[in-house]
Amino acid sequence: MSTPTLDSPATATGADLLRIATAGSVDDGKSTLVGRLLFDTKSVLADQIDAVTKASVDRGMDTPDLSLLVDGLRAEREQGITIDVAYRYFATPARSFVLADTPGHVQYTRNTVSGASTAQLVILLVDARNGIVAQTRRHAAVMALLGVPRLVLAVNKIDLVDDPAAVFAEITEQFGEITRSLGYADDQVLPIPVSALHGDNIARRSENTPYYSGPTLIEHLESVPNQPDRREVGLRFPVQYVIRPRTPEYPDYRGYAGQIAAGRVSVGDEIVVQPSGQRSRVVTIDTPDGELATAHTGRSVTLLLADDIDVSRGDLIAAAGDAPEPIQQFTATVCWLGDKPLRAGARLLLKHGTKTTPVIIGGLETLFDEQDLALVDAPESVELNRIGRISLTTAEPIAADDYRVNRETGSFLLIDPVGGNTLGAGLVGDVLTSLNLS
């Protein structure tokens, strides 16, 4: 039987899809780089190129300003900066890509955290004329905390410095010291000298960089292993909606709809519903297109169980042999996104998966100094765009994994209970211990 009311398209990811993001400081050339990637992979229409060329000529430029392909908001075009996260899609014969184009301004760090949270690789730009700056260190630290498996250091505008080989070597060495301190191995980070404006080492190897013998950016993106998150875990299925039609056609139908956050599920699998601990067995996997025998991560489905048990929105259906234990008091690392500093005793809402529950912030244990790559004990507050380790107590138990085990079920949001604004992005567990910090 097909699902009577659920009408969500299925999504699936495979080895030929890589999720990437860009990050960098203001004016490092992110928008031009993204525009160049779209242009060189023929992922933009001819009329868009014509419009960009005309606009560039009107501005007195000799070459097309490819940043105009991606800075879509009016404020972005006027100021020449990226404000919001925008998702771009492009492909080569070898692989498809989803790219999160994130802002560079410090005040938009929250957007960068959001855009990079699901990335398997981040392209971090540095202006060759300026070298490593504070925002470079901040972004590298954020990527390490988020567990992004691989980084590309794109040393952009390499054509504008007098001694490009020496500049590239110096920036590479400085960035290597930072990433090694953050726990990255050398083979997880690839430095590439590029000129996004002229296309050097983006899709074609440049004769202007004889000191560099590595791959172009696109060659690297095509060949880098599509590394899965952390370790394989069993089924993680946050229940989004309970389907009870109670119609003559479906008088006894009870399905639990949602998207598989991790793992897989097959008909006949034993499951446990958390936080209640009730157990049952999957008897049907429904989709708008018909029943499935097995469904994988990212697929939107409706599960029917063998037993008539109490399951509600916010519950987690998990593999019986590999289910996270419900928790109410725990430690987490939080990136604070609110204008008002976070202090101990704050009463907020915590959103984990499809569940929202009141939460009280306990102690502020440690503040991460991303510039000195050090930890500061017992801070009085966590300011905007700062990262700290805190303790929390939720009103209701949540079924959460450690973030280092699984991103989707190990992350949460802190929300203003009055205005509904997102105030913080949290990672369950002490991810700061994975960094080599003093």
Side-chain angles (χ1 to χ4, degrees), residues 175-187:
F175 192 72
E177 293 176 0
I178 295 171
T179 53
R180 284 189 289 272
S181 296
L182 292 170
Y184 281 103
D186 288 345
D187 62 358

Side-chain angles (χ1 to χ4, degrees), residues 157-241:
K157 306 182 184 181
I158 196 68
D159 55 309
L160 300 181
V161 295
D162 293 333
D163 189 350
V167 170
F168 178 67
E170 182 180 0
I171 293 175
T172 296
E173 178 58 31
Q174 291 177 356
F175 192 72
E177 293 176 0
I178 295 171
T179 53
R180 284 189 289 272
S181 296
L182 292 170
Y184 281 103
D186 288 345
D187 62 358
Q188 292 179 282
V189 183
L190 176 66
I192 306 178
V194 303
S195 170
L197 181 64
H198 300 293
D200 292 346
N201 292 329
I202 305 298
R204 60 174 177 81
R205 294 178 181 272
S206 174
E207 297 179 354
N208 300 321
T209 56
Y211 51 88
Y212 175 73
S213 59
T216 66
L217 177 58
I218 288 182
E219 285 174 342
H220 182 62
L221 295 179
E222 288 179 328
S223 61
V224 69
N226 193 338
Q227 183 173 334
D229 286 343
R230 313 304 185 274
R231 68 173 179 83
E232 293 295 326
V233 297
L235 174 67
R236 302 291 188 268
F237 184 78
V239 177
Q240 183 174 0
Y241 186 67

